Amino acid sequence: MSNTADCFFYPEVFVTCHPGDAGEPQMKRHPSLIVEVLSESTAAYNRGAKFGYYRQIPSLTECVLIETERMTVDVFRRRPDGQWLFLSSGVGQTLEFASIDFQCPIEAIYEDVRCAEISLNPELPHAVL
């Protein structure tokens, strides 16, 4: 995937419905949704500089950051005025990705992932992958 700053990124998941992307097998330029799974070594970069590059993509309407240390999913959604709305979901909440008309319980995202146990049991000292 490329953006207006001529940077190339490989997010975990992205969605594009732009007809120009259909014929491009190696690079997509018009994502509407980008999903990144955070790790200890990538979290700061994904939340900072990388999200700064992503915000420059005119077609992008949602950027999703999935935590691995706790059951938390952050959604950044571009509003019609161009401002970004921040939504954070945790245990017992429903995720919504408006750009693709998708909803599910947050627990479905973490199904079979043992690190989610830390959010359900705060006495556990560390997440275990």
Side-chain angles (χ1 to χ4, degrees):
M1 184 182 65
S2 173
N3 70 22
T4 56
D6 290 329
C7 295
F8 295 90
F9 298 104
Y10 299 95
E12 276 70 37
V13 176
F14 69 92
V15 176
T16 178
C17 298
H18 192 278
D21 283 341
E24 292 289 333
Q26 295 184 345
M27 182 170 40
K28 309 298 182 188
R29 297 179 184 271
H30 307 282
S32 56
L33 170 70
I34 293 175
V35 178
E36 293 281 2
V37 176
L38 304 178
S39 70
E40 188 175 325
S41 64
T42 65
Y45 179 65
N46 285 343
R47 289 185 176 283
K50 194 178 213 183
F51 183 56
Y53 289 122
Y54 284 164
R55 287 193 313 261
Q56 296 177 40
I57 303 171
S59 62
L60 185 65
T61 57
E62 283 182 310
C63 185
V64 177
L65 303 177
I66 300 175
E67 293 280 349
T68 55
E69 297 293 320
R70 63 186 177 280
M71 194 180 294
T72 303
V73 176
D74 294 337
V75 176
F76 295 88
R77 185 174 298 144
R78 190 189 314 254
R79 299 183 336 186
D81 66 1
Q83 297 295 312
W84 287 88
L85 175 65
F86 170 73
L87 304 161
S88 187
S89 298
V91 176
Q93 295 184 310
T94 299
L95 294 175
E96 178 184 4
F97 305 153
S99 60
I100 59 171
D101 193 26
F102 174 82
Q103 294 181 356
C104 76
I106 192 170
E107 288 81 4
I109 299 293
Y110 288 87
E111 184 177 347
D112 295 329
V113 177
R114 292 180 57 201
C115 72
E117 293 170 357
I118 195 166
S119 293
L120 299 175
N121 186 351
E123 294 180 19
L124 291 176
H126 303 287
V128 180
L129 296 176

